[in-house]
Amino acid sequence: MNLSKFPRRRYTAGITPIEKLERLSETLGGPDVYIKRDDLLGLAAGGNKTRKLEFLMADALAKGADTIITCGAVQSNHCRLTLAASVKENLKCHLVLEQRVPGSYDRRASGNNFLYNLMDAENVRVVDGGSNMMGEMTSLADELKAQGRKPYIIPGGGSNEIGALGYVSCAKELMWQLHDMGLDIDYIVCTSGSAGTHAGLVTGLMGENAGIPVIGISISRKAEPQRELVYNLCRKTSDLLGLKIPPSIDDVIVFDEYVGPGYSRPTEGMVSAVRLLATTEAVLLDPVYTGKTMDGLMDLVRKNYFAEARNILFLHTGGSPALYAYMNDFV
Ligand SMILES: *Cc1c(COP(=O)(O)O)cnc(C)c1O
């Protein structure tokens, strides 16, 4: 794979560490659990969207954009990081927030919400859950164009084939790093949401001929529609890269048992996973994504899913600022 032919901005110095979670591994009594610290990526408070934005913002700049439009849930890490990247690039940023849980938007809320204000988004528009988000962003873009502005739309989660290149790049980084550490990983576990992370990793690992299966833990959809979403993005990303052997649908593994009552709604498993990581490793997970994903990883260890495995790697995709908006679930 030749990633150098795609324009890229850099928002992180160097690479993110891989650490062994000694105390957690001992507590679980299964394979050794390692963590890839993508919560330490650059831009305000880090997280997986930073990798996608390196390629998306470069594309926006190449196209002469002066304003970035994106969308997300009311406590969106993606919106926070897109705003952060826009600030760095001196572009204006408009956010369209979907109120998936009715009444959940509060302008003065903590967490990411507070950071939208602090980093001064030019405009925050709140729409009802179930709205056509691309439609909302397109009409906002039309309004801005009518004022002579040059808007660039980044889809939810930054999950198109350009954003997914961020996790193709992560797969390359990972394989080099594992080789450097002399660490042979049997499985990678990551969150599967808007799919850019999961699809980028699967595609990038295929391009590296790595042979490491990726377990995606869904945080909103049922397994089948999520697999389809991930697979479609794998195909688009493989096409963009010109991969000779693209991933197949069998390479897309999704578990949907850890969603609970729905996207962003707390579960007991999430709360105990967040607590366990905080108290054994001082690693801060988040309530919406990585808490549920770690709940899944722990449950799969208990069920002996990783029976033959010696080492598994958890991808920490960030999100801890959202914890401060969920304090009531941790009393
Ligand atoms: C967006 C997000 C994810 C999910 O990544 P996708 O690429 O949307 O699937 C996982 N963890 C955190 C903290 C996120 O903000």
Side-chain angles (χ1 to χ4, degrees):
M1 292 184 298
N2 181 9
L3 277 177
S4 319
K5 61 185 171 192
F6 303 101
R8 179 189 186 188
R9 303 288 294 162
R10 291 305 302 260
Y11 298 133
T12 306
I15 67 175
T16 60
I18 291 178
E19 298 163 359
K20 185 172 177 185
L21 297 176
E22 298 263 6
R23 293 190 61 201
L24 180 78
S25 308
E26 228 168 83
T27 307
L28 297 181
D32 283 338
V33 183
Y34 288 81
I35 187 170
K36 170 88 170 150
R37 298 291 307 268
D38 271 14
D39 57 318
L40 301 180
L41 286 165
L43 298 176
N48 62 343
K49 305 311 178 306
T50 296
R51 288 194 193 268
K52 304 179 188 186
L53 286 161
E54 291 192 336
F55 291 92
L56 289 162
M57 295 301 284
D59 190 48
L61 290 168
K63 292 186 168 129
D66 59 17
T67 307
I68 303 294
I69 300 174
T70 198
C71 68
V74 293
Q75 277 291 340
S76 165
N77 301 307
H78 167 69
C79 286
R80 182 228 322 147
L81 287 168
T82 302
L83 173 57
S86 305
V87 168
K88 264 203 140 4
E89 303 293 2
N90 197 18
L91 304 178
K92 298 288 185 202
C93 181
H94 286 228
L95 304 176
V96 183
L97 303 182
E98 182 187 7
Q99 216 177 17
R100 298 192 200 175
V101 178
S104 58
Y105 179 73
D106 173 2
R107 216 194 76 80
R108 293 156 308 167
S110 179
N112 287 314
N113 231 288
F114 167 62
L115 300 177
Y116 304 156
N117 299 333
L118 186 64
M119 290 188 283
D120 203 18
E122 186 173 40
N123 184 32
V124 176
R125 186 177 284 185
V126 182
V127 300
D128 288 338
S131 298
N132 172 356
M133 298 307 282
M134 192 42 92
E136 296 285 345
M137 290 195 290
T138 309
S139 64
L140 182 53
D142 289 341
E143 287 168 37
L144 289 170
K145 278 184 208 156
Q147 297 164 21
R149 303 267 293 261
K150 289 190 170 156
Y152 180 92
I153 296 177
I154 294 181
S159 285
N160 56 17
E161 57 274 38
I162 296 172
L165 290 178
Y167 272 87
V168 171
S169 163
C170 178
K172 259 187 173 314
E173 173 179 313
L174 199 61
M175 291 319 292
W176 173 84
Q177 194 175 10
L178 291 174
H179 165 59
D180 191 53
M181 295 171 75
L183 177 60
D184 186 14
I185 287 289
D186 301 296
Y187 291 92
I188 296 172
V189 180
C190 73
T191 307
S192 198
S194 65
T197 304
H198 190 176
L201 268 185
V202 168
T203 307
L205 290 170
M206 182 58 83
E208 294 289 296
N209 201 18
I212 304 176
V214 179
I215 311 296
I217 306 291
S218 175
I219 45 73
S220 60
R221 292 175 200 84
K222 285 284 176 203
E224 274 322 300
Q226 185 66 24
R227 285 181 80 209
E228 236 163 82
L229 186 72
V230 174
Y231 180 60
N232 286 336
L233 188 50
C234 284
R235 299 210 42 168
K236 285 187 194 156
T237 311
S238 305
D239 286 350
L240 182 62
L241 284 162
L243 276 201
K244 286 217 174 76
I245 308 175
S248 81
I249 182 78
D250 295 332
D251 295 316
V252 181
I253 304 165
V254 172
F255 286 87
D256 63 9
E257 287 89 338
Y258 310 99
V259 178
Y263 173 79
S264 82
R265 299 216 186 239
T267 62
E268 271 178 38
M270 175 281 286
V271 172
S272 19
V274 171
R275 264 193 213 293
L276 187 62
L277 267 284
T279 53
T280 56
E281 299 288 351
V283 166
L284 304 183
L285 300 178
D286 83 287
V288 181
Y289 300 97
T290 53
K292 288 182 178 177
T293 303
M294 183 52 83
D295 177 32
L297 180 151
M298 287 173 9
D299 188 56
L300 291 170
V301 169
R302 274 183 230 114
K303 289 178 174 156
N304 221 15
Y305 178 85
F306 304 112
E308 304 296 310
R310 290 178 53 222
N311 303 308
I312 62 178
L313 181 76
F314 172 76
L315 178 67
H316 188 168
T317 42
S320 67
L323 269 180
Y324 305 103
Y326 283 77
M327 286 185 334
N328 291 338
D329 297 297
F330 289 84
V331 288

